[in-house]
Amino acid sequence: MPFNTIFGWFIKKRIHQIDLFRKHPIEVQREWFERLIRSGRATVYGEKYNFNEIHNYTDFQEKVPLQDYEDVKIWVERSLKGEEDVLWPGETKWFAKSSGTTSDRSKFIPVTKDSLEDCHYKGGKDLLAIYYSHFPNTKLYRGKHLVVGGTAEQNTLRPDSYTGDLSSIILKNLPWWVEIKRIPSRETALMSEWEEKIEKLAEETMEEDVSSISGVPSWTLVLLNRILEKKGKKDIREVWPNLELLMHGGVSFKPYEKEFRSIIPHDDMHYIESYNASEGFFGIQDEVGGDLLLMLDYGIFFEFIPMSKFAGTDSKEIIALKDVELNTNYAIVISTNGGLWRYILGDTVSFSSLDPFRVKVTGRTKHFINVFGEEVIVDNSDQAIRKACELTDATLKDYTACPIYMEEGKQGGHEWIVEFSKDPKDFKLFTQFLDDELRKLNSDYDAKRTNNLTLNFPLIHKARSGLFDDWLKKKGKLGGQHKVPRLVNNREIFEDIIQLQKGAIVDIKRT
């Protein structure tokens, strides 16, 4: 039976189920809450926190504490050694190595069979179902699917277990109907040396008939540009004439959109964003150009902490989905079929719609600048730098920013390092546009910038080529889902990166 016929049946079934949680979100979340608690009762963790006495959300809040990775680490280590029924019933064999950027210590997130099948794979299938529902005449499955994935390594504590990027765990367990169309080879896909890996990816894929790509925008661009260079082309459709879909996530697409549209200058090229992480698959862009539909039937129970009241695991105001409000910045708390219980994810979101529930990712709980009450978040900086690039015909590769502290009577400010693939036509104008756009987007920043009341005009350094890759390589985090923190509320990371410039800084002076 042709794949499109099979998938057509699946689409109708899943779109109906998606419509169900669009229309009845609170009921669906309540049902999953009850299912998770029932499963949790059969675990060591559930015994410790008296899951047998949890009968409603109020009981759950009272008995189960908020957790971050430092809290959950002792439980994960028991699972790593092979102990069963620790955080989730049965044995956990897969552990996703976190792509955290601010810590040198690795985090291992448990991936259970239930979370792999009912969350991560379900998210991938739903993304395709939504795409097929929007574009029923697609020929997507006639071509190959290019996955720009991560790396894997065997868990040294146990011969039958392995760790690595989430994408590598997914690759090792793909269903046959995905595996037959996936490229590159598994050996290449799981390589750990990213410079060599990009070359191998290019060599293996540039002669194939690729119709879709999935990957983090930054590394996908590196690969596509290398393929164009090797083929002597300027338009990726000259290499892959049937390419029609990019499925992206991991970082904001906004700063990279211009370059993608430059090397794929076709109106019938489609882009769909997904919101997934090692801890779970959370959202899919279900409308062209829209925000992310919160996926409510993936074995995840959501809670939220208003960032105005956020105090980490000591936070007191934690609310369920039914109580969220529009345009408020929230930290996400999840309980999952991967065995995470009231786990502070580290991401922040705001709701752009409550019917259905749609979110946009605004940043990280630790990635912001608020030394002077300006409350600048990653969503602000991504939008502002995108606009500045657009107005000065620049193309961004990466950036980071931090505060300049007040000292000896001097005003404070923000200091940036920006690496471009294509330099702005005018650096001073770039900085002016960046500042102007931040002031439009963020009233707190604007108030502090008025008459240089608290914040001076931003100081920007033009990074030498390859600076951020060098920093990631130095940290052992080059490639995959690893990324440079966009905003940091101290100068530690900034100073570390700037040391790698080796005198190559070009300052864009304050005006």
Side-chain angles (χ1 to χ4, degrees):
M1 184 180 293
F3 175 81
N4 280 339
T5 302
I6 298 172
F7 207 74
W9 171 83
F10 173 76
I11 288 169
K12 291 177 184 177
K13 179 180 179 182
R14 267 312 290 168
I15 294 300
H16 172 73
Q17 291 168 338
I18 291 170
D19 284 339
L20 186 66
F21 74 68
R22 279 193 185 112
K23 295 174 183 176
H24 306 285
I26 307 307
E27 291 82 356
V28 169
Q29 275 285 277
R30 184 184 303 118
E31 178 183 341
W32 266 109
F33 169 77
E34 292 169 354
R35 290 170 68 175
L36 289 168
I37 295 302
R38 283 198 298 272
S39 295
R41 288 170 181 157
T43 67
V44 179
Y45 187 88
E47 183 178 353
K48 177 177 175 63
Y49 290 104
N50 301 311
F51 274 37
N52 282 328
E53 299 175 14
I54 296 175
H55 304 291
N56 53 49
Y57 179 53
T58 301
D59 292 342
F60 186 58
Q61 286 186 306
E62 291 175 352
K63 294 184 181 298
V64 183
L66 292 173
Q67 295 190 98
D68 58 19
Y69 188 75
E70 289 305 306
D71 298 308
V72 80
K73 182 171 65 174
I74 58 172
W75 300 93
V76 172
E77 287 174 348
R78 292 170 66 170
S79 296
L80 276 164
K81 293 175 182 177
E83 185 177 343
E84 296 186 7
D85 304 326
V86 178
L87 290 165
W88 192 253
E91 183 181 15
T92 301
K93 292 186 176 183
W94 308 308
F95 300 87
K97 201 170 183 179
S98 170
S99 59
T101 51
T102 59
S103 174
D104 289 330
R105 292 173 296 178
S106 296
K107 298 179 182 179
F108 296 97
I109 304 301
V111 179
T112 65
K113 183 178 179 181
D114 287 328
S115 66
L116 193 64
E117 293 181 355
D118 295 333
C119 183
H120 296 293
Y121 284 160
K122 197 172 183 179
K125 287 185 286 187
D126 280 358
L127 191 152
L128 290 173
I130 288 169
Y131 181 73
Y132 269 70
S133 70
H134 282 306
F135 304 102
N137 296 321
T138 178
K139 299 177 181 178
L140 193 67
Y141 208 73
R142 293 185 183 179
K144 295 294 182 67
H145 176 49
L146 168 58
V147 180
V148 185
T151 61
E153 57 195 62
Q154 186 170 299
N155 177 357
T156 56
L157 296 174
R158 295 161 56 199
D160 62 339
S161 175
Y162 54 84
T163 65
D165 290 350
L166 173 69
S167 57
S168 72
I169 294 172
I170 291 173
L171 279 173
K172 280 178 170 283
N173 294 280
L174 283 173
W176 68 267
W177 58 270
V178 177
E179 187 65 19
I180 60 172
K181 288 291 186 177
R182 182 193 59 77
I183 55 172
S185 66
R186 185 172 295 187
E187 181 184 9
T188 298
L190 298 177
M191 287 176 65
S192 58
E193 295 297 327
W194 271 83
E195 292 100 331
E196 182 184 354
K197 182 173 183 172
I198 288 294
E199 287 298 310
K200 289 284 288 182
L201 281 167
E203 290 168 8
E204 284 191 24
T205 62
M206 64 187 186
E207 303 300 335
E208 296 281 359
D209 179 19
V210 174
S211 58
S212 65
I213 306 171
S214 65
V216 176
S218 52
W219 280 104
T220 302
L221 270 177
V222 171
L223 173 62
L224 297 186
N225 281 318
R226 182 62 183 134
I227 289 172
L228 290 174
E229 183 181 356
K230 290 173 78 72
K231 297 287 286 186
K233 306 292 185 182
K234 292 185 177 181
D235 180 345
I236 205 70
R237 281 268 181 92
E238 295 180 65
V239 182
W240 298 322
N242 296 313
L243 179 65
E244 62 173 279
L245 174 63
L246 171 68
M247 295 169 278
H248 61 88
V251 297
S252 171
F253 189 61
K254 296 185 185 79
Y256 305 101
E257 184 175 2
K258 180 182 176 182
E259 188 170 358
F260 272 105
R261 296 194 184 279
S262 172
I263 63 176
I264 318 174
H266 303 277
D267 292 338
D268 59 347
M269 178 67 190
H270 306 296
Y271 302 86
I272 295 185
E273 182 179 2
S274 62
Y275 176 22
N276 59 316
S278 301
E279 295 86 353
F281 200 119
F282 309 118
I284 298 174
Q285 193 175 36
D286 66 324
E287 293 184 339
V288 176
D291 290 323
L292 296 155
L293 179 69
L294 197 62
M295 308 305 284
L296 301 176
D297 66 347
Y298 284 7
I300 300 171
F301 179 71
F302 292 97
E303 298 175 88
F304 302 90
I305 305 171
M307 280 304 292
S308 60
K309 306 289 181 63
F310 184 76
T313 55
D314 294 323
S315 300
K316 302 302 181 187
E317 185 173 325
I318 307 100
I319 60 176
L321 184 64
K322 67 181 180 64
D323 296 316
V324 299
E325 298 178 349
L326 290 172
N327 304 315
T328 299
N329 211 28
Y330 293 104
I332 304 178
V333 180
I334 54 172
S335 298
T336 78
N337 51 8
L340 298 175
W341 299 101
R342 304 203 80 196
Y343 183 82
I344 299 175
L345 183 62
D347 289 344
T348 61
V349 299
S350 67
F351 284 84
S352 57
S353 168
L354 302 182
D355 185 18
F357 286 99
R358 289 197 180 94
V359 300
K360 58 181 178 180
V361 181
T362 55
R364 300 277 293 170
T365 56
K366 295 181 179 180
H367 294 181
F368 58 87
I369 303 179
N370 191 33
V371 170
F372 310 103
E374 65 272 47
E375 297 188 23
V376 175
I377 59 176
V378 173
D379 186 55
N380 298 155
S381 60
D382 276 347
Q383 290 192 57
I385 206 165
R386 177 195 187 191
K387 187 68 173 180
C389 284
E390 180 183 313
L391 293 172
T392 57
D393 195 28
T395 305
L396 177 76
K397 188 173 187 298
D398 220 329
Y399 76 90
T400 191
C402 74
I404 300 172
Y405 299 126
M406 291 179 176
E407 56 182 19
E408 298 178 0
K410 295 181 180 179
Q411 297 294 87
H414 291 175
E415 190 167 6
W416 298 60
I417 308 177
V418 184
E419 184 177 344
F420 300 98
S421 300
K422 179 183 178 184
D423 288 347
K425 290 181 176 179
D426 188 312
F427 284 120
K428 288 186 178 180
L429 273 180
F430 174 86
T431 312
Q432 186 66 62
F433 289 140
L434 177 63
D435 184 55
D436 289 346
E437 194 64 21
L438 276 174
R439 295 182 72 165
K440 291 176 187 176
L441 291 165
N442 186 315
S443 59
D444 292 311
Y445 177 83
D446 180 56
K448 305 301 183 294
R449 282 281 299 116
T450 300
N451 298 320
N452 292 339
L453 178 65
T454 305
L455 293 175
N456 271 329
F457 191 75
L459 171 63
I460 298 184
H461 306 290
K462 177 180 172 292
R464 63 171 173 80
S465 178
L467 173 66
F468 290 104
D469 286 353
D470 288 347
W471 182 77
L472 287 168
K473 191 173 184 178
K474 173 186 171 184
K475 295 292 183 181
K477 295 175 180 290
L478 183 64
Q481 296 177 327
H482 302 300
K483 43 195 175 283
V484 176
R486 298 298 206 196
L487 304 176
V488 183
N489 206 37
N490 58 57
R491 295 187 59 85
E492 182 179 345
I493 288 175
F494 188 94
E495 296 291 351
D496 195 30
I497 293 173
I498 215 165
Q499 289 299 315
L500 292 179
Q501 281 279 48
K502 296 181 179 178
I505 297 172
V506 178
D507 291 347
I508 305 169
K509 300 297 184 183
R510 303 182 187 196
T511 58

